[in-house]
Amino acid sequence: MTHIELRGVQKFFGEVQVIKDMNLVIEDNEFIVMLGPSGCGKTTTLRAVAGLETIDEGDILIDGKVVQHLKAADRDIAFVFQSFSLYPHMTVYENIAFPLRATRQSKAEVDRAVRQVADVLRIAPLLKRRPSALSGGDMQRVAIGRALVRSPKALLMDEPIGALDAKLREEMRTEIKRLHMKQGSTTIYVTHDQVEAMALADRIVIMNDGVLQQVGTPDDVYTHPANLFVAQFVGSPVMNVAEAHVAETASEARVVMPGAAEGFVFPRTLLGRLEAGGAKGDGLALGIRPEGVLVERERREGYLPVEAHIIEPLGSHDIIDLKVGTQMLRARTKAGFVPRPGEKVWVRIDPAQAHFFDAESGRSFGVRL
Amino acid sequence: MAAVKTPRQKVANQLAIAAVIVIAIIFLAPIYWIGSTAFKPRALATTVPPTVLFQPEVTPFVKLFTRRVQLNRPVEPGAYEAAPWWEKRIYDGGERVLRVGEDVQLSGYPDRFLNSLIIAVTSTLLAVSMGTLTAYGFSRFRVAGEQDWLFFILSTRMLPPVVVAIPMFLMYRVVGMTDTHIGLIILYTAFNLSFSVWLMKGFIDEIPKEYEEAALVDGYTRMQAFFKIVLPEAATGIAATAVFCFITAWNEYAFALMMTNRRAQTAPPFIPAQVGSGLTDWTTIAAGTFLFLLPVAIFTFLLRNHLLRGMSFGAIRK
């Protein structure tokens, strides 16, 4: 049972504030992914929890106990580094056994623990090798093994698979997920890769510029991003964001993008919902993921005619840049749906997938139709 | 897969080998000269051109290790016959007026050699251990005025040491440290320390911080992390630094000559003193020099694996 809590944590590097008033509660057995661009403070936060970094304000609690004054060694937490940092002068076996050697366990106990972890991670045949003779994936398995061997209260991972190539990364991602389901330990995992975050997390913690942006399940942050930053950081391809204003007709609302002759059709309820959300009419940003931009080859009721600009064939699907007024919208279509650039297509925005943000502050109005 | 070489590459290869051989000959020539002179009969030591083929003998070493007295006339034939084999060598066939004293006495050489060992080894141990700890501190912690400190440490090497020899001698005389082992040890340690700090800092900077952090998280104190992780990883650097420090301390001549004369005298000032009275016995000097070369050669040979091995061997991803 491990429960980690951050209360009003602040951290400065000289003049620069790298963590700004961070509050977070992590439940037992939860897999938390901290996601953000590089330099957003996620790694510093992780290192602060581990005790490798001091904090300037606030409290860090592990199982209700304030730990920010405790040494890393006394927090009973394991850390997996991006660089793996296996000791080159020790064999794989010695590397995994190393944390146990700090405790007063008998040789037989150490041996049993090492072999058990090696079995779980499927690295038993490698135990006698030196780290330099391992592949990247195996190095990371060993590093995880070293972290798990003493059954720590929590497992912290700092971009553990960021240094691997794409194929291996996918493999290890599955492996880490499998391991977490099997071992089930409280885990904090730092990454800048939103796919990794979505795939692994119970809850995602999104940070930017030292500020916590949103905490939620992958589904939550994907479908209800709290602001423009989260909306554009999560999801690939990136969510379209366009200036827009809402015009009213007798039966419907129209969302018009600048320079466009006509607006996209939305239900009339949009107006009331926007007002309730605090929107003032102008300074509105429309957010729509590429799969929410519906494309047809034939003219249809409620669809606007536009031109396809650039087509990126990705095999399973295509990404098409459409010029709407002065702005571009990217749409996701079936592979080969629009044969070549310059074709005229008809497009509509799925109201159910549209997001509305305050263009100034980036805050979401929380309107979902 | 066998490497297929073009004729041009073969020629280039042979030229490279030839160049290496020439360079090796140039570098090894003085060592050969010393080594061969150490086993030559005295008469052949200074022939021009040098004698290459000769019957090697151990006479120079016997002379080096024994204390001799000068006789005022050639030794009696009977006494010559009765002398042991090694003493006969010193008589130079009965024509020389030297002999080993009534009781065989060792010369000063073994003592000087031992002094050299004690002083060089101790000062190397001190310089390397203090240098490693200092370098670790500079490398891993934020030290106020770090750059200035490092520059200050380096600046101690900026003027030729001989310049301060006289003031050093006067200070040593006042505190009574002339002709003491501890005096030379302190001197050589101070002399090597700046070098050791700078060299070790370079090596320790190369060791990723994550190694220690991993150990810290895994339940070790910083001291334990230092001894279990940093030291083994820095072994290569420590070996290289130790070799350099040892060579400097071992070969030092000027201060040893000035600061010591008997008790703590090292081999370098002693060997040329064997030039002797009235005759320059180059073979004995060569014998002393030849033995003097051995410890550095052995030390370097023992550490060769550490010196040659690459610093990091790929267990960390950068």
Side-chain angles (χ1 to χ4, degrees), chain B residues 220-277:
Chain B
Y220 289 88
T221 65
R222 189 166 274 280
M223 263 302 182
Q224 288 172 319
F226 176 79
F227 283 110
K228 283 182 196 288
I229 304 300
V230 178
L231 277 194
E233 288 305 311
T236 308
I238 292 172
T241 310
V243 166
F244 283 117
C245 289
F246 184 77
I247 290 173
T248 309
W250 183 253
N251 290 345
E252 208 285 327
Y253 177 75
F255 280 93
L257 181 68
M258 193 165 346
M259 299 290 194
T260 63
N261 48 41
R262 200 176 48 83
R263 221 159 24 102
Q265 192 179 43
T266 55
F270 177 80
I271 294 169
Q274 299 311 290
V275 167
S277 52

Short mmCIF file of all heavy atoms in Angstrom, two decimals, chain B residues 220-277:
data_model
loop_
_atom_site.label_atom_id
_atom_site.label_comp_id
_atom_site.label_asym_id
_atom_site.label_seq_id
_atom_site.Cartn_x
_atom_site.Cartn_y
_atom_site.Cartn_z
N TYR B 220 22.00 3.29 -0.66
CA TYR B 220 23.38 3.48 -0.26
C TYR B 220 23.63 4.93 0.13
O TYR B 220 22.97 5.84 -0.36
CB TYR B 220 24.32 3.09 -1.41
CG TYR B 220 24.38 1.61 -1.65
CD1 TYR B 220 23.48 1.00 -2.52
CD2 TYR B 220 25.31 0.82 -1.01
CE1 TYR B 220 23.52 -0.36 -2.74
CE2 TYR B 220 25.36 -0.55 -1.22
CZ TYR B 220 24.46 -1.13 -2.09
OH TYR B 220 24.51 -2.47 -2.30
N THR B 221 24.60 5.13 1.01
CA THR B 221 24.98 6.50 1.34
C THR B 221 25.91 7.01 0.24
O THR B 221 26.39 6.24 -0.58
CB THR B 221 25.75 6.55 2.67
OG1 THR B 221 26.98 5.84 2.50
CG2 THR B 221 24.95 5.92 3.79
N ARG B 222 26.16 8.31 0.26
CA ARG B 222 27.01 8.87 -0.78
C ARG B 222 28.42 8.28 -0.71
O ARG B 222 29.05 8.01 -1.71
CB ARG B 222 27.07 10.39 -0.68
CG ARG B 222 27.77 11.02 -1.85
CD ARG B 222 27.53 12.50 -1.94
NE ARG B 222 26.33 12.86 -2.65
CZ ARG B 222 26.23 12.88 -3.98
NH1 ARG B 222 27.23 12.51 -4.72
NH2 ARG B 222 25.12 13.24 -4.57
N MET B 223 28.90 8.08 0.53
CA MET B 223 30.22 7.49 0.69
C MET B 223 30.28 6.10 0.07
O MET B 223 31.22 5.76 -0.65
CB MET B 223 30.57 7.39 2.18
CG MET B 223 31.42 8.52 2.70
SD MET B 223 32.96 8.65 1.79
CE MET B 223 33.72 9.99 2.64
N GLN B 224 29.25 5.30 0.38
CA GLN B 224 29.22 3.94 -0.18
C GLN B 224 29.15 3.99 -1.70
O GLN B 224 29.83 3.22 -2.38
CB GLN B 224 28.01 3.17 0.37
CG GLN B 224 28.16 2.79 1.82
CD GLN B 224 26.87 2.21 2.37
OE1 GLN B 224 25.77 2.70 2.08
NE2 GLN B 224 26.97 1.17 3.17
N ALA B 225 28.34 4.92 -2.20
CA ALA B 225 28.22 5.05 -3.65
C ALA B 225 29.57 5.41 -4.25
O ALA B 225 29.97 4.90 -5.29
CB ALA B 225 27.17 6.10 -4.02
N PHE B 226 30.30 6.28 -3.55
CA PHE B 226 31.61 6.69 -4.03
C PHE B 226 32.56 5.49 -4.11
O PHE B 226 33.21 5.26 -5.12
CB PHE B 226 32.20 7.77 -3.11
CG PHE B 226 33.59 8.19 -3.48
CD1 PHE B 226 33.81 9.06 -4.52
CD2 PHE B 226 34.68 7.70 -2.77
CE1 PHE B 226 35.09 9.45 -4.87
CE2 PHE B 226 35.96 8.08 -3.11
CZ PHE B 226 36.17 8.95 -4.16
N PHE B 227 32.58 4.71 -3.04
CA PHE B 227 33.53 3.60 -3.02
C PHE B 227 33.10 2.44 -3.91
O PHE B 227 33.93 1.79 -4.53
CB PHE B 227 33.76 3.11 -1.59
CG PHE B 227 34.67 4.02 -0.82
CD1 PHE B 227 34.18 4.81 0.21
CD2 PHE B 227 36.01 4.12 -1.15
CE1 PHE B 227 35.02 5.66 0.91
CE2 PHE B 227 36.86 4.97 -0.46
CZ PHE B 227 36.36 5.74 0.56
N LYS B 228 31.78 2.18 -3.97
CA LYS B 228 31.34 1.01 -4.73
C LYS B 228 31.15 1.30 -6.21
O LYS B 228 31.25 0.40 -7.04
CB LYS B 228 30.00 0.51 -4.17
CG LYS B 228 30.19 -0.27 -2.87
CD LYS B 228 28.84 -0.79 -2.40
CE LYS B 228 28.88 -1.20 -0.97
NZ LYS B 228 29.62 -2.44 -0.73
N ILE B 229 30.85 2.54 -6.55
CA ILE B 229 30.54 2.85 -7.95
C ILE B 229 31.59 3.76 -8.58
O ILE B 229 32.17 3.43 -9.61
CB ILE B 229 29.15 3.54 -8.06
CG1 ILE B 229 28.09 2.66 -7.42
CG2 ILE B 229 28.82 3.84 -9.52
CD1 ILE B 229 27.94 1.29 -8.03
N VAL B 230 31.86 4.89 -7.93
CA VAL B 230 32.73 5.87 -8.58
C VAL B 230 34.16 5.34 -8.69
O VAL B 230 34.77 5.40 -9.75
CB VAL B 230 32.71 7.21 -7.82
CG1 VAL B 230 33.65 8.21 -8.49
CG2 VAL B 230 31.30 7.76 -7.81
N LEU B 231 34.68 4.80 -7.60
CA LEU B 231 36.07 4.33 -7.63
C LEU B 231 36.31 3.26 -8.69
O LEU B 231 37.23 3.39 -9.48
CB LEU B 231 36.51 3.86 -6.25
CG LEU B 231 36.98 4.96 -5.30
CD1 LEU B 231 37.70 4.35 -4.11
CD2 LEU B 231 37.90 5.95 -5.99
N PRO B 232 35.49 2.20 -8.71
CA PRO B 232 35.73 1.20 -9.76
C PRO B 232 35.63 1.80 -11.16
O PRO B 232 36.41 1.45 -12.05
CB PRO B 232 34.62 0.17 -9.55
CG PRO B 232 34.16 0.36 -8.16
CD PRO B 232 34.40 1.80 -7.82
N GLU B 233 34.68 2.72 -11.34
CA GLU B 233 34.53 3.31 -12.66
C GLU B 233 35.70 4.22 -13.01
O GLU B 233 36.02 4.43 -14.17
CB GLU B 233 33.23 4.12 -12.73
CG GLU B 233 31.97 3.26 -12.75
CD GLU B 233 32.00 2.25 -13.86
OE1 GLU B 233 32.29 2.65 -14.99
OE2 GLU B 233 31.74 1.07 -13.60
N ALA B 234 36.31 4.80 -11.98
CA ALA B 234 37.42 5.73 -12.22
C ALA B 234 38.76 5.02 -12.24
O ALA B 234 39.80 5.68 -12.35
CB ALA B 234 37.40 6.83 -11.17
N ALA B 235 38.76 3.69 -12.14
CA ALA B 235 40.02 2.94 -12.01
C ALA B 235 41.00 3.30 -13.12
O ALA B 235 42.19 3.49 -12.87
CB ALA B 235 39.72 1.44 -12.03
N THR B 236 40.49 3.41 -14.33
CA THR B 236 41.36 3.74 -15.46
C THR B 236 42.05 5.08 -15.22
O THR B 236 43.27 5.19 -15.38
CB THR B 236 40.52 3.84 -16.74
OG1 THR B 236 39.76 2.64 -16.85
CG2 THR B 236 41.40 4.00 -17.94
N GLY B 237 41.25 6.07 -14.82
CA GLY B 237 41.80 7.39 -14.58
C GLY B 237 42.77 7.39 -13.42
O GLY B 237 43.83 8.03 -13.47
N ILE B 238 42.43 6.65 -12.38
CA ILE B 238 43.31 6.58 -11.22
C ILE B 238 44.64 5.97 -11.61
O ILE B 238 45.71 6.45 -11.23
CB ILE B 238 42.63 5.79 -10.08
CG1 ILE B 238 41.45 6.59 -9.54
CG2 ILE B 238 43.62 5.49 -8.96
CD1 ILE B 238 40.61 5.84 -8.54
N ALA B 239 44.58 4.91 -12.41
CA ALA B 239 45.81 4.25 -12.85
C ALA B 239 46.68 5.21 -13.65
O ALA B 239 47.89 5.33 -13.40
CB ALA B 239 45.48 3.02 -13.68
N ALA B 240 46.08 5.91 -14.58
CA ALA B 240 46.84 6.84 -15.41
C ALA B 240 47.46 7.94 -14.56
O ALA B 240 48.65 8.26 -14.68
CB ALA B 240 45.93 7.44 -16.48
N THR B 241 46.64 8.51 -13.66
CA THR B 241 47.14 9.57 -12.79
C THR B 241 48.28 9.06 -11.92
O THR B 241 49.30 9.74 -11.75
CB THR B 241 46.00 10.10 -11.90
OG1 THR B 241 44.87 10.38 -12.73
CG2 THR B 241 46.42 11.35 -11.17
N ALA B 242 48.12 7.86 -11.39
CA ALA B 242 49.15 7.29 -10.51
C ALA B 242 50.46 7.11 -11.27
O ALA B 242 51.53 7.41 -10.74
CB ALA B 242 48.68 5.96 -9.93
N VAL B 243 50.38 6.64 -12.50
CA VAL B 243 51.60 6.45 -13.28
C VAL B 243 52.33 7.78 -13.45
O VAL B 243 53.54 7.88 -13.24
CB VAL B 243 51.28 5.81 -14.65
CG1 VAL B 243 52.48 5.93 -15.58
CG2 VAL B 243 50.92 4.35 -14.47
N PHE B 244 51.56 8.81 -13.82
CA PHE B 244 52.20 10.11 -14.03
C PHE B 244 52.82 10.65 -12.74
O PHE B 244 53.94 11.15 -12.74
CB PHE B 244 51.18 11.12 -14.58
CG PHE B 244 50.91 10.93 -16.04
CD1 PHE B 244 49.66 10.58 -16.50
CD2 PHE B 244 51.93 11.09 -16.97
CE1 PHE B 244 49.41 10.41 -17.85
CE2 PHE B 244 51.70 10.91 -18.31
CZ PHE B 244 50.43 10.56 -18.76
N CYS B 245 52.06 10.56 -11.65
CA CYS B 245 52.57 11.07 -10.37
C CYS B 245 53.83 10.30 -9.96
O CYS B 245 54.81 10.88 -9.49
CB CYS B 245 51.51 10.96 -9.29
SG CYS B 245 50.16 12.12 -9.50
N PHE B 246 53.76 9.00 -10.14
CA PHE B 246 54.89 8.16 -9.72
C PHE B 246 56.14 8.52 -10.53
O PHE B 246 57.23 8.67 -9.98
CB PHE B 246 54.54 6.68 -9.92
CG PHE B 246 55.61 5.74 -9.45
CD1 PHE B 246 55.77 5.49 -8.09
CD2 PHE B 246 56.46 5.12 -10.35
CE1 PHE B 246 56.76 4.63 -7.64
CE2 PHE B 246 57.46 4.27 -9.91
CZ PHE B 246 57.61 4.02 -8.56
N ILE B 247 55.96 8.68 -11.83
CA ILE B 247 57.12 9.01 -12.68
C ILE B 247 57.72 10.35 -12.25
O ILE B 247 58.94 10.49 -12.11
CB ILE B 247 56.70 9.04 -14.17
CG1 ILE B 247 56.40 7.62 -14.64
CG2 ILE B 247 57.79 9.67 -15.03
CD1 ILE B 247 55.83 7.54 -16.04
N THR B 248 56.85 11.33 -12.01
CA THR B 248 57.36 12.64 -11.60
C THR B 248 58.16 12.54 -10.30
O THR B 248 59.27 13.04 -10.20
CB THR B 248 56.19 13.63 -11.39
OG1 THR B 248 55.37 13.58 -12.55
CG2 THR B 248 56.69 15.04 -11.19
N ALA B 249 57.58 11.87 -9.30
CA ALA B 249 58.24 11.78 -8.01
C ALA B 249 59.51 10.93 -8.11
O ALA B 249 60.53 11.23 -7.48
CB ALA B 249 57.28 11.19 -6.98
N TRP B 250 59.44 9.88 -8.89
CA TRP B 250 60.57 8.96 -9.01
C TRP B 250 61.77 9.61 -9.67
O TRP B 250 62.91 9.41 -9.28
CB TRP B 250 60.10 7.73 -9.81
CG TRP B 250 61.11 6.64 -9.96
CD1 TRP B 250 61.80 6.32 -11.09
CD2 TRP B 250 61.53 5.72 -8.96
NE1 TRP B 250 62.62 5.25 -10.85
CE2 TRP B 250 62.47 4.85 -9.55
CE3 TRP B 250 61.20 5.52 -7.62
CZ2 TRP B 250 63.08 3.82 -8.86
CZ3 TRP B 250 61.81 4.49 -6.93
CH2 TRP B 250 62.74 3.66 -7.54
N ASN B 251 61.48 10.41 -10.68
CA ASN B 251 62.58 11.00 -11.47
C ASN B 251 63.08 12.33 -10.93
O ASN B 251 64.05 12.86 -11.44
CB ASN B 251 62.13 11.21 -12.92
CG ASN B 251 61.96 9.90 -13.65
OD1 ASN B 251 62.44 8.86 -13.19
ND2 ASN B 251 61.29 9.93 -14.78
N GLU B 252 62.39 12.90 -9.94
CA GLU B 252 62.74 14.25 -9.51
C GLU B 252 64.20 14.32 -9.05
O GLU B 252 64.66 13.49 -8.28
CB GLU B 252 61.80 14.69 -8.39
CG GLU B 252 61.60 16.19 -8.31
CD GLU B 252 62.78 16.91 -7.72
OE1 GLU B 252 63.45 16.33 -6.84
OE2 GLU B 252 63.04 18.05 -8.13
N TYR B 253 64.90 15.33 -9.53
CA TYR B 253 66.32 15.40 -9.26
C TYR B 253 66.71 16.66 -8.45
O TYR B 253 67.38 16.57 -7.43
CB TYR B 253 67.09 15.39 -10.59
CG TYR B 253 68.57 15.53 -10.45
CD1 TYR B 253 69.36 14.46 -10.00
CD2 TYR B 253 69.21 16.73 -10.75
CE1 TYR B 253 70.72 14.59 -9.86
CE2 TYR B 253 70.58 16.86 -10.61
CZ TYR B 253 71.33 15.79 -10.16
OH TYR B 253 72.68 15.92 -10.02
N ALA B 254 66.21 17.82 -8.93
CA ALA B 254 66.71 19.09 -8.38
C ALA B 254 66.45 19.22 -6.88
O ALA B 254 67.37 19.49 -6.10
CB ALA B 254 66.07 20.26 -9.14
N PHE B 255 65.18 19.00 -6.47
CA PHE B 255 64.88 19.15 -5.05
C PHE B 255 65.55 18.07 -4.21
O PHE B 255 66.02 18.33 -3.11
CB PHE B 255 63.36 19.12 -4.82
CG PHE B 255 62.70 20.43 -5.14
CD1 PHE B 255 62.17 20.67 -6.39
CD2 PHE B 255 62.63 21.43 -4.17
CE1 PHE B 255 61.57 21.88 -6.68
CE2 PHE B 255 62.03 22.64 -4.46
CZ PHE B 255 61.50 22.87 -5.72
N ALA B 256 65.58 16.88 -4.77
CA ALA B 256 66.22 15.79 -4.04
C ALA B 256 67.69 16.11 -3.79
O ALA B 256 68.22 15.86 -2.70
CB ALA B 256 66.07 14.49 -4.83
N LEU B 257 68.32 16.69 -4.79
CA LEU B 257 69.73 17.03 -4.65
C LEU B 257 69.93 18.08 -3.56
O LEU B 257 70.85 17.99 -2.75
CB LEU B 257 70.25 17.58 -5.99
CG LEU B 257 71.72 17.96 -6.03
CD1 LEU B 257 72.60 16.72 -5.90
CD2 LEU B 257 72.05 18.69 -7.32
N MET B 258 69.01 19.05 -3.53
CA MET B 258 69.18 20.16 -2.61
C MET B 258 68.72 19.82 -1.20
O MET B 258 69.34 20.22 -0.22
CB MET B 258 68.39 21.35 -3.14
CG MET B 258 68.76 22.63 -2.45
SD MET B 258 68.15 24.04 -3.34
CE MET B 258 67.73 23.39 -4.88
N MET B 259 67.63 19.11 -1.09
CA MET B 259 66.99 18.89 0.21
C MET B 259 67.60 17.73 0.97
O MET B 259 67.40 17.61 2.17
CB MET B 259 65.50 18.61 0.03
CG MET B 259 64.74 19.73 -0.63
SD MET B 259 64.63 21.14 0.47
CE MET B 259 63.37 22.08 -0.33
N THR B 260 68.23 16.79 0.27
CA THR B 260 68.70 15.60 0.96
C THR B 260 70.18 15.40 0.69
O THR B 260 70.69 15.81 -0.35
CB THR B 260 67.95 14.34 0.46
OG1 THR B 260 68.23 14.17 -0.92
CG2 THR B 260 66.46 14.47 0.67
N ASN B 261 70.86 14.77 1.62
CA ASN B 261 72.24 14.41 1.33
C ASN B 261 72.59 12.99 1.78
O ASN B 261 73.50 12.39 1.27
CB ASN B 261 73.21 15.42 1.93
CG ASN B 261 72.86 15.71 3.38
OD1 ASN B 261 72.51 14.79 4.12
ND2 ASN B 261 72.93 16.98 3.77
N ARG B 262 71.81 12.45 2.71
CA ARG B 262 72.23 11.14 3.20
C ARG B 262 71.04 10.28 3.57
O ARG B 262 70.64 9.38 2.85
CB ARG B 262 73.15 11.35 4.42
CG ARG B 262 74.04 10.17 4.76
CD ARG B 262 74.96 10.54 5.92
NE ARG B 262 74.24 11.16 7.03
CZ ARG B 262 73.58 10.48 7.96
NH1 ARG B 262 73.56 9.17 7.93
NH2 ARG B 262 72.94 11.11 8.93
N ARG B 263 70.44 10.63 4.69
CA ARG B 263 69.41 9.77 5.27
C ARG B 263 68.24 9.53 4.31
O ARG B 263 67.79 8.41 4.13
CB ARG B 263 68.91 10.40 6.57
CG ARG B 263 68.68 9.41 7.66
CD ARG B 263 68.69 10.06 9.06
NE ARG B 263 68.36 11.47 9.09
CZ ARG B 263 67.18 11.96 9.46
NH1 ARG B 263 66.23 11.14 9.83
NH2 ARG B 263 66.97 13.25 9.50
N ALA B 264 67.75 10.64 3.74
CA ALA B 264 66.57 10.53 2.89
C ALA B 264 66.91 10.73 1.43
O ALA B 264 66.03 10.95 0.61
CB ALA B 264 65.52 11.56 3.34
N GLN B 265 68.20 10.64 1.11
CA GLN B 265 68.56 10.88 -0.28
C GLN B 265 67.95 9.81 -1.20
O GLN B 265 67.94 8.63 -0.87
CB GLN B 265 70.08 10.88 -0.45
CG GLN B 265 70.50 11.42 -1.81
CD GLN B 265 72.00 11.43 -1.96
OE1 GLN B 265 72.69 10.49 -1.59
NE2 GLN B 265 72.51 12.52 -2.52
N THR B 266 67.43 10.28 -2.36
CA THR B 266 66.87 9.34 -3.32
C THR B 266 67.93 8.95 -4.33
O THR B 266 69.04 9.49 -4.32
CB THR B 266 65.67 9.99 -4.05
OG1 THR B 266 66.10 11.21 -4.63
CG2 THR B 266 64.52 10.26 -3.09
N ALA B 267 67.59 8.03 -5.19
CA ALA B 267 68.59 7.52 -6.14
C ALA B 267 69.08 8.55 -7.15
O ALA B 267 70.27 8.58 -7.45
CB ALA B 267 68.03 6.28 -6.85
N PRO B 268 68.19 9.40 -7.71
CA PRO B 268 68.71 10.31 -8.76
C PRO B 268 69.92 11.13 -8.36
O PRO B 268 70.88 11.18 -9.15
CB PRO B 268 67.50 11.18 -9.08
CG PRO B 268 66.34 10.32 -8.79
CD PRO B 268 66.74 9.51 -7.59
N PRO B 269 69.99 11.78 -7.19
CA PRO B 269 71.21 12.52 -6.89
C PRO B 269 72.38 11.60 -6.53
O PRO B 269 73.54 12.02 -6.59
CB PRO B 269 70.84 13.40 -5.69
CG PRO B 269 69.51 12.99 -5.25
CD PRO B 269 68.96 11.96 -6.17
N PHE B 270 72.08 10.38 -6.16
CA PHE B 270 73.13 9.46 -5.72
C PHE B 270 73.92 8.89 -6.90
O PHE B 270 75.14 8.79 -6.86
CB PHE B 270 72.52 8.32 -4.90
CG PHE B 270 73.52 7.30 -4.45
CD1 PHE B 270 74.33 7.55 -3.34
CD2 PHE B 270 73.67 6.10 -5.14
CE1 PHE B 270 75.26 6.62 -2.92
CE2 PHE B 270 74.60 5.17 -4.73
CZ PHE B 270 75.39 5.42 -3.62
N ILE B 271 73.20 8.52 -7.95
CA ILE B 271 73.84 7.81 -9.06
C ILE B 271 75.00 8.60 -9.67
O ILE B 271 76.11 8.06 -9.81
CB ILE B 271 72.80 7.40 -10.12
CG1 ILE B 271 71.84 6.37 -9.52
CG2 ILE B 271 73.46 6.81 -11.35
CD1 ILE B 271 70.62 6.08 -10.36
N PRO B 272 74.81 9.86 -10.02
CA PRO B 272 75.96 10.58 -10.61
C PRO B 272 77.11 10.75 -9.62
O PRO B 272 78.26 10.93 -10.04
CB PRO B 272 75.37 11.93 -11.01
CG PRO B 272 74.04 12.01 -10.40
CD PRO B 272 73.60 10.65 -10.02
N ALA B 273 76.82 10.66 -8.33
CA ALA B 273 77.89 10.79 -7.35
C ALA B 273 78.85 9.62 -7.44
O ALA B 273 79.94 9.63 -6.86
CB ALA B 273 77.30 10.88 -5.94
N GLN B 274 78.46 8.57 -8.17
CA GLN B 274 79.33 7.40 -8.31
C GLN B 274 80.41 7.61 -9.36
O GLN B 274 81.15 6.69 -9.68
CB GLN B 274 78.49 6.17 -8.68
CG GLN B 274 77.47 5.81 -7.63
CD GLN B 274 78.11 5.77 -6.26
OE1 GLN B 274 78.89 4.88 -5.97
NE2 GLN B 274 77.80 6.74 -5.42
N VAL B 275 80.43 8.82 -9.92
CA VAL B 275 81.48 9.11 -10.89
C VAL B 275 82.85 8.78 -10.29
O VAL B 275 83.75 8.35 -10.98
CB VAL B 275 81.38 10.59 -11.32
CG1 VAL B 275 82.63 11.02 -12.07
CG2 VAL B 275 80.15 10.78 -12.19
N GLY B 276 82.92 8.94 -8.99
CA GLY B 276 84.10 8.44 -8.30
C GLY B 276 85.28 9.42 -8.31
O GLY B 276 85.22 10.48 -8.92
N SER B 277 86.30 9.01 -7.64
CA SER B 277 87.44 9.90 -7.51
C SER B 277 88.49 9.50 -8.53
O SER B 277 89.02 8.41 -8.52
CB SER B 277 88.02 9.82 -6.09
OG SER B 277 88.24 8.47 -5.78
#
